[in-house]
Amino acid sequence: MKRLMCFGIATSLLLSLSSAAFAQDSISANQTDIGYVKVIENTENQDGHVITPFDVQLINPIHHIGKGALEKTFTMDPRNGQDANVFIKNNGSSTVYIKFGIDGKDPLELSLEPGKQKNIQVYTQKTNSYKLYIYNKDGSSMDLQVSARQF
């Protein structure tokens, strides 16, 4: 009887904790065959963002300093996870402009003021190539931190 009681308690604990342990922030929205993009702007420091060992690093963390534009492309395969985060932080002194799109078509266009950061959340159900292009309009030196991961 004691074993049955212990088994019941252990099972109930495992079942009640499993959803919390394996839950992740997933993007819920109208999904299309080509994908979904959501932008989140944060003013808080995100130096402590966690990358788990099973995440696919789409863009390795970059610290880009210079006057030239930054261009990165990557491919998302839903077998590696259907969600991705593209993190951009502007440490420079002028506003930068971001173009992000699937296969370079109809890019999402954003601006990012000095000292601010954005997280572009991407959701896809099929394999797509994405292009990230960051530039400024005044020719000043840019100071950016950029990374992307798929999960």
Side-chain angles (χ1 to χ4, degrees), residues 83-110:
D83 297 310
N85 286 331
V86 179
F87 171 77
I88 305 161
K89 183 174 182 182
N90 182 2
N91 297 317
S93 59
S94 67
T95 299
V96 296
Y97 300 90
I98 303 162
K99 290 185 178 183
F100 181 78
I102 298 171
D103 296 322
K105 298 174 189 165
D106 299 322
L108 174 68
E109 296 188 31
L110 310 164

Side-chain angles (χ1 to χ4, degrees), residues 108-137:
L108 174 68
E109 296 188 31
L110 310 164
S111 63
L112 184 57
E113 296 173 1
K116 303 276 180 148
Q117 58 193 26
K118 288 191 190 254
N119 186 29
I120 301 172
Q121 294 181 339
V122 183
Y123 175 83
T124 190
Q125 290 182 334
K126 70 176 196 170
T127 301
N128 287 310
S129 293
Y130 295 86
K131 180 178 176 182
L132 174 67
Y133 184 73
I134 305 173
Y135 63 99
N136 65 22
K137 294 180 180 177

Side-chain angles (χ1 to χ4, degrees), residues 4-151:
L4 184 60
M5 181 77 123
C6 288
F7 178 74
I9 291 172
T11 303
S12 67
L13 281 174
L14 286 174
L15 291 175
S16 66
L17 294 176
S18 65
S19 62
F22 296 110
Q24 57 176 300
D25 291 337
S26 185
I27 300 168
S28 59
N30 293 333
Q31 302 162 1
T32 65
D33 288 340
I34 60 169
Y36 178 78
V37 176
K38 177 181 175 183
V39 178
I40 299 173
E41 183 169 350
N42 295 318
T43 55
E44 299 174 11
N45 189 0
Q46 287 187 349
D47 290 338
H49 58 282
V50 177
I51 296 177
T52 62
F54 300 110
D55 291 346
V56 174
Q57 203 66 37
L58 300 170
I59 300 175
N60 288 325
I62 301 168
H63 189 187
H64 175 79
I65 299 175
K67 293 186 178 185
L70 174 68
E71 182 176 331
K72 291 290 178 183
T73 58
F74 60 86
T75 301
M76 277 183 66
D77 184 340
R79 293 177 292 184
N80 295 326
Q82 294 181 337
D83 297 310
N85 286 331
V86 179
F87 171 77
I88 305 161
K89 183 174 182 182
N90 182 2
N91 297 317
S93 59
S94 67
T95 299
V96 296
Y97 300 90
I98 303 162
K99 290 185 178 183
F100 181 78
I102 298 171
D103 296 322
K105 298 174 189 165
D106 299 322
L108 174 68
E109 296 188 31
L110 310 164
S111 63
L112 184 57
E113 296 173 1
K116 303 276 180 148
Q117 58 193 26
K118 288 191 190 254
N119 186 29
I120 301 172
Q121 294 181 339
V122 183
Y123 175 83
T124 190
Q125 290 182 334
K126 70 176 196 170
T127 301
N128 287 310
S129 293
Y130 295 86
K131 180 178 176 182
L132 174 67
Y133 184 73
I134 305 173
Y135 63 99
N136 65 22
K137 294 180 180 177
D138 62 5
S140 64
S141 182
M142 295 188 294
D143 184 353
L144 304 168
Q145 289 177 283
V146 178
S147 65
R149 67 182 182 95
Q150 183 177 357
F151 51 96

